[in-house]
Amino acid sequence: MSVIVQKFGGTSVANAEKIRHAASRAVEAKRRGHDVVVVVSARGHKTDELIELAHGITQTPRPREMDMLLSTGEQESVALMAMAVHELGEEAISLTGAQIGVLTDTTHTKARIVSISTERMRELLAAGNIVIAAGFQGVDSSMNITTLGRGGSDTTATALAAVLDAELCEIYTDVEGVFTTDPRLVSSARKVERISYDEMLELASLGAGVMHSRSIEFAKKFSVQLRVRPSYSDGPGTLIAPETDEANSIVTGVAFVRNEALITLVGLPDQPGVMSSLFTALSGARIPVDMVVQNVAREGFANVSFTVAEDELPAALRVVTSAAELLKVQSVQHTTELSKVSIVGHGMQTHTGVAARMFQILADSGINIRVVTTSEIKISVLIDRTRCSDAVEAVHSGFGLHLPDRTLPDVGQAAIRPASVHAAEAEVVADIVSRLEGMESILVSDVSADTQQSRITVTGLPDDPGVARDVFAAIGEGGVLVDMIIQNVARDGRASISFTVPGNDLDRSLQLLQPFLDAHAGTTLTFDRHICKLTIAGIGLRSHTDVGRRVFRTLAEQQINVEMLNTSEIKLSIVIAVAQADRALQSLRSEFGLN
Ligand code: ASP
Ligand code: MG
């Protein structure tokens, strides 16, 4: 029989009435003929209360006892949920993490799942029970209770769905689903019917409130179909599933981070090991870094910029200033009151002109772009915070996200067209059972190298709205699919933009840019016909400052110079010399155990 996993978050089981309501959903699914596994979180703010209780006793509770304490929140919920199912006339049995057989490593308070045994759950399901499983908890090999980190019930639900080969994992929550942007900011935001794992991950700043990123990475790894649904109504919610070729919109959503600060190291020596020193220092101080960009060096010196949450700025500056002295950097500069606005969508892997349209929309609103970074499915710009709301609204409607059918409104010159090359990666559906071992070792899920691209850089651009639009309109009109785009902060009123194009399209791109260059005195163009773009993928990049440090240390040990760099929520893209591609790939794969 097909298995359905239903997960109810804290607000959906906050009181007796809500527990009864949740139980009735499980009973309905059972009566429709499914085997049902219910995963529950602690009620309401229970976990926060328990943490507060502990802190009333000690500021330094031992992590083992913290897990013992926190796991009681979920234990309470499962028992109550089982009782509610009994009242509705069905059989149910509650199980703790240990009773299910969720084996984790020993990292108390943020343990990772090692394996899950399905035997007991299968027997109970076969005997006609609804299985009610405690989320967020497991045991280590010495039977110590562990917890999976805040929001970990989502991970439990996804993991159970994976090992039970469930047809669907439903996440019941207190919102309608995933939206095209934050509905509190843009009233015309619409609910998304279907979204891919990567899009959801790249939209983290929108999606984080809805689901834990780690559970989505997990769902992606095991191809678990997730449906985020409201618990208070029968709304269908949003399906999070592998991407399809169905005629989808080009852009799925617009995300933003309102309070960012930018730090730029000016005049870094362009040699191996520099990024490693910088990231080792930041990682040592546990400062999470968001956008990182490095454009190609000029005259032997590179500028590196990165953003941090505004309240981390003083700490980040302390670290960077002392690292900068050792590295003999010319100067360290910073800017506050910035916001990051991003568009996310698989359509940009298959359509040209997407970047041009984004830049056009911003130019039409008179918004200046300070920094640009991209991933395969995301374009992020850093702009002044005072223009954040305007930018989100303009981009949202400029891509037709406010319309039911998502038709693209006419915004002038920037036409979006299907590209001749199809860059989408194939989804690999692997055997779940064989991959159970170390099922959560997904800090870095993949390292790949693309040696089929060329790099183009235009320097000496005026730092004005509309310049990026003109560059990418020219390229987009010619039907060339642009991949990695980088614009670092302007210096002396002049900006430079680099991007990569398929190697076969380099000559055509150079021709397409000629009229632009002719029209703008003072601009120059350089290119590199053969480059290697390394991609390091996985959500660990954001959640663990250590990943960046390990990447750059590995490259430094191999004497590999970082020529260009940018980041997204789920990827780090690095341009290196093509001759070093194999060495980089092998050393990074072995560093992250991907062989
Ligand atoms: N109760 C835990 C927390 O509040 C786990 C969860 O809700 O997913 O973080
Ligand atoms: Mg929760």
Side-chain angles (χ1 to χ4, degrees), residues 5-310:
V5 175
Q6 296 184 326
K7 182 252 167 180
F8 295 93
T11 47
S12 310
V13 293
N15 55 37
E17 190 195 328
K18 289 188 171 174
I19 292 174
R20 242 182 260 124
H21 185 66
S24 71
R25 291 204 184 260
V27 166
E28 270 168 41
K30 167 109 179 97
R31 291 182 181 159
R32 280 199 309 270
H34 296 291
D35 278 344
V36 183
V37 174
V38 176
V39 175
V40 263
S41 292
R43 294 186 305 118
H45 298 290
K46 189 80 198 181
T47 308
D48 294 325
E49 285 162 27
L50 291 170
I51 291 170
E52 222 183 285
L53 257 180
H55 286 151
I57 292 184
T58 164
Q59 278 313 300
T60 50
R62 294 194 192 165
R64 183 190 180 279
E65 303 313 324
M66 209 53 193
D67 278 351
M68 183 67 101
L69 178 69
L70 295 190
S71 67
T72 62
E74 271 71 14
Q75 191 168 336
E76 180 186 85
S77 301
V78 283
L80 293 167
M81 183 70 79
M83 293 173 197
V85 173
H86 297 157
E87 280 300 296
L88 294 168
E90 290 288 337
E91 281 307 310
I93 184 159
S94 62
L95 298 175
T96 64
Q99 288 170 331
I100 304 166
V102 177
L103 182 69
T104 72
D105 64 17
T106 57
T107 328
H108 282 291
T109 75
K110 41 183 183 300
R112 295 190 161 259
I113 298 173
V114 174
S115 67
I116 297 178
S117 51
T118 53
E119 216 177 299
R120 183 158 184 195
M121 283 187 290
R122 290 233 186 257
E123 274 169 21
L124 289 166
L125 290 170
N129 290 285
I130 293 178
V131 170
I132 319 277
F136 174 58
Q137 53 176 268
V139 280
D140 71 10
S141 51
S142 315
M143 292 301 276
N144 296 301
I145 294 178
T146 53
T147 63
L148 306 180
R150 296 308 304 267
S153 296
D154 287 340
T155 301
T156 306
T158 318
L160 292 187
V163 293
L164 293 168
D165 200 12
E167 182 185 310
L168 184 65
C169 180
E170 293 179 321
I171 307 287
Y172 285 95
T173 172
D174 52 1
V175 292
E176 278 299 313
V178 178
F179 279 77
T180 51
T181 193
D182 188 339
R184 288 169 299 187
L185 184 72
V186 180
S187 58
S188 60
R190 303 185 72 91
K191 188 178 66 72
V192 178
E193 304 296 320
R194 179 186 177 119
I195 192 168
S196 75
Y197 305 119
D198 281 340
E199 286 172 328
M200 186 73 186
L201 288 165
E202 288 283 28
L203 283 168
S205 65
L206 289 182
V210 181
M211 272 196 86
H212 210 222
S213 284
R214 188 165 142 206
S215 64
I216 299 183
E217 179 83 336
F218 202 91
K220 175 184 166 186
K221 185 172 178 184
F222 294 102
S223 297
V224 173
Q225 306 238 2
L226 295 167
R227 188 175 279 286
V228 178
R229 304 184 65 174
S231 53
Y232 53 81
S233 78
D234 281 329
T238 299
L239 183 69
I240 309 172
E243 73 208 68
T244 55
D245 283 339
E246 280 164 35
N248 247 330
S249 50
I250 304 293
V251 167
T252 305
V254 182
F256 58 92
V257 179
R258 200 179 277 279
N259 298 325
E260 295 234 291
L262 178 74
I263 298 179
T264 303
L265 285 85
V266 180
L268 275 170
D270 181 29
Q271 64 199 32
V274 172
M275 294 305 276
S276 175
S277 318
L278 181 59
F279 276 80
T280 301
L282 288 164
S283 162
R286 298 196 183 283
I287 295 169
V289 172
D290 182 11
M291 261 169 134
V292 187
V293 292
Q294 181 201 321
N295 206 332
V296 281
R298 294 171 62 192
E299 288 143 21
F301 292 99
N303 300 337
V304 174
S305 294
F306 60 91
T307 60
V308 292
E310 213 165 57

Side-chain angles (χ1 to χ4, degrees), residues 536-549:
I536 297 104
I539 56 160
L541 302 173
R542 275 181 73 78
S543 49
H544 299 70
T545 44
D546 199 39
V547 174
R549 181 186 66 79

